[in-house]
């Protein structure tokens, strides 16, 4: 990804190093082969582990913000609504942890309000990340495909060539590149 839209009138340019992009690509492809129920189970186990650790650390150290990690994992790699489901479960675990740790609520309504506030916080994060992921996917597709024909463009060719060259160098295998030049193709294209 070359550019991210932060605000309508500003653009932040950055390029991830090749090895980071490769690592994220490998992890993404590996997780894409997993059943979606496994993604949800991992996120649920992480929420439970964070809740237990939060309880064990007591009221002085709060690990509640770490519930965003499994929620983000479920949003990024799971089905469309996995993030919201994990966010709701995480808010319940977060609130139950506060209650079991001995947090004194002055009124029972405050406990209910905390559950709702935690749920809104985590659900909002899940929805924002889902929107970001959808826009990122669209931007990646638009950046690598010709808008008229839908075929891969020069950027996609360059990325695949860099990837293939790095793979070839790593495995010490030869790489062959063949290309075809069509004379006067611009006339047909126009």
């Amino acid at each position: 990804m070359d550019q991210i839209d932060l605000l309508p009138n500003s653009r932040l340019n950055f390029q991830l190093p090749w090895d980071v992009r490769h690592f994220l690509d490998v992890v993404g492809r590996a997780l894409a082969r997993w059943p979606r129920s496994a993604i949800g189970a991992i996120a649920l186990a992480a929420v439970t582990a964070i809740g237990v650790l939060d309880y064990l650390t007591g009221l002085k150290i709060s690990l509640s913000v770490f519930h965003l990690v499994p929620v983000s994992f479920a949003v990024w790699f799971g089905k469309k609504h996995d993030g919201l489901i994990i966010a709701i479960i995480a808010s319940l675990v977060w609130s139950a942890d506060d209650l079991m740790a001995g947090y004194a609520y002055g009124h029972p309504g405050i406990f209910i309000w905390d559950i709702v506030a935690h749920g809104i916080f985590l659900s909002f994060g899940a929805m924002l990340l889902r929107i970001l992921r959808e826009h990122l996917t669209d931007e990646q597709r638009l950046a690598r495909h010709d808008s008229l024909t839908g075929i891969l463009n020069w950027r996609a060719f360059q990325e695949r060539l860099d990837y293939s060259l790095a793979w070839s160098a790593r495995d010490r295998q030869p790489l062959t590149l063949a290309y075809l030049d069509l004379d006067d193709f611009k006339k047909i294209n126009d």
Side-chain angles (χ1 to χ4, degrees):
M1 175 178 65
D2 290 323
Q3 294 181 337
I4 290 182
D5 247 339
L6 294 179
L7 298 170
N9 296 326
S10 75
R11 294 188 77 73
L12 172 69
N13 297 317
F14 73 93
Q15 178 90 18
L16 289 173
W18 181 86
D19 53 344
V20 174
R21 285 184 291 152
H22 177 68
F23 173 76
L24 293 174
D25 185 44
V26 168
V27 169
R29 287 182 189 186
L31 289 174
R33 289 187 219 120
W34 289 15
R36 296 300 183 203
S37 57
I39 301 293
I42 291 170
L44 190 57
V47 165
T48 304
I50 291 168
V52 168
L53 286 173
D54 201 11
Y55 172 74
L56 293 175
T57 58
L59 293 173
K60 293 185 179 183
I61 301 174
S62 177
L63 302 177
S64 303
V65 73
F66 291 108
H67 284 292
L68 283 171
V69 173
V71 169
S72 301
F73 178 78
V75 167
W76 204 260
F77 297 108
K79 290 187 270 185
K80 186 171 186 174
H81 299 294
D82 283 355
L84 290 175
I85 293 167
I86 297 297
I88 292 167
I89 293 169
S91 69
L92 293 173
V93 168
W94 184 352
S95 299
D97 172 55
D98 285 348
L99 190 62
M100 290 188 312
Y103 188 78
Y105 290 99
H107 187 275
I110 296 173
F111 178 68
I112 302 299
W113 171 254
D114 277 355
I115 292 174
V116 171
H118 297 158
I120 290 171
F121 167 71
L122 293 171
S123 298
F124 188 67
M127 287 187 296
L128 286 176
L129 192 58
R130 171 59 63 188
I131 291 168
L132 176 66
R133 185 175 192 277
E134 289 171 355
H135 284 296
L136 177 64
T137 302
D138 289 344
E139 289 292 327
Q140 287 175 335
R141 184 184 51 76
L142 290 172
R144 288 162 182 77
H145 290 82
D146 180 67
S147 60
L148 181 62
T149 61
I151 61 173
L152 295 176
N153 63 13
W154 177 255
R155 175 179 290 171
F157 169 76
Q158 194 66 40
E159 286 177 356
R160 290 187 181 191
L161 179 63
D162 291 344
Y163 183 81
S164 297
L165 287 171
W167 193 270
S168 175
R170 189 193 81 170
D171 292 343
R172 295 184 179 156
Q173 294 291 322
L175 176 71
T176 303
L177 174 66
Y179 67 92
L180 179 66
D181 183 25
L182 299 175
D183 291 333
D184 299 324
F185 187 72
K186 181 161 177 31
K187 293 176 188 176
I188 297 169
N189 195 29
D190 289 341

